[in-house]
């Protein structure tokens, strides 16, 4: 469950080519870094974004991502909403099963992405498209610098 949060302005990026996938990864890394995500958290977040963005392109025929910084007053986070107008996911439960693939890959895209973020939701309907939303919170406290209390 997402803590109550204030959100900053969202950034929308197109997902229509492999070059767009690289741009999405770069922007997620930059915004996450600005929000104070540590290296491990940032790597997990960028990996999840990459997997979901590739699914948006390959299975959804392209779309866009909304990148939204979050702040609940105690911790900052990032919401990524990947939207496509593709065929939708017929069986979400099956699609979330490790090893299930429709594209010849390892079948760890959605299920793997879910393990890398705090929340992952899928809104889909066959013939209507899919929105996959991932939320990650910066849960690591900054290190205290010497000489400060």
């Amino acid at each position: 469950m997402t803590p109550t949060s204030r959100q900053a302005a969202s950034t929308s990026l197109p997902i229509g080519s492999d070059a767009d996938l690289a741009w999405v990864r770069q922007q997620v890394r930059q915004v996450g870094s600005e929000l104070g995500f540590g290296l491990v958290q940032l790597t997990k977040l960028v990996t999840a974004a990459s997997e979901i963005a590739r699914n948006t392109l390959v299975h959804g025929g392209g779309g866009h991502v909304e990148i939204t910084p979050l702040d609940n007053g105690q911790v900052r986070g990032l919401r990524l909403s990947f939207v496509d107008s593709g065929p939708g996911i017929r069986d979400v439960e099956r699609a979330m099963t490790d090893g299930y693939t429709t594209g010849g890959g390892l079948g760890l895209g959605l299920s793997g992405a879910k393990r890398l973020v705090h929340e992952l939701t899928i809104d889909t309907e066959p013939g209507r498209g899919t929105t996959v939303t991932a939320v990650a919170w910066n849960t690591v406290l900054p290190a205290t610098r010497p000489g400060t209390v």
Side-chain angles (χ1 to χ4, degrees):
M1 186 167 153
T2 302
T4 303
S5 61
R6 296 183 302 266
Q7 65 184 48
S10 294
T11 301
S12 182
L13 301 174
I15 300 173
S17 68
D18 284 339
D20 291 338
L21 298 179
W23 183 241
V24 167
R25 285 191 297 271
Q26 182 180 355
Q27 292 303 301
V28 168
R29 181 174 300 283
Q30 180 179 329
V31 175
S33 180
E34 290 168 1
L35 292 170
F37 280 77
L39 180 60
V40 171
Q41 284 184 299
L42 197 53
T43 301
K44 289 178 179 182
L45 181 60
V46 171
T47 301
S50 183
E51 292 293 332
I52 302 167
R54 176 151 302 281
N55 281 354
T56 300
L57 178 62
V58 172
H59 301 292
H64 70 277
V65 61
E66 295 285 333
I67 301 173
T68 308
L70 303 171
D71 183 342
N72 73 1
Q74 296 176 339
V75 68
R76 296 162 75 181
L78 193 58
R79 179 175 55 231
L80 307 172
S81 294
F82 296 84
V83 181
D84 70 56
S85 302
I89 301 172
R90 294 200 184 283
D91 187 344
V92 173
E93 187 174 330
R94 188 170 178 202
M96 292 300 295
T97 303
D98 285 349
Y100 175 75
T101 180
T102 59
L106 296 175
L108 297 173
L110 287 175
S111 62
K114 183 175 184 172
R115 286 191 293 273
L116 296 172
V117 295
H118 291 99
E119 299 173 38
L120 188 122
T121 59
I122 301 172
D123 179 20
T124 188
E125 194 174 303
R128 187 181 57 86
T130 301
T131 299
V132 177
T133 302
V135 175
W137 293 98
N138 179 1
T139 56
V140 176
L141 298 174
T144 304
R145 288 186 271 174
T148 63
V149 178

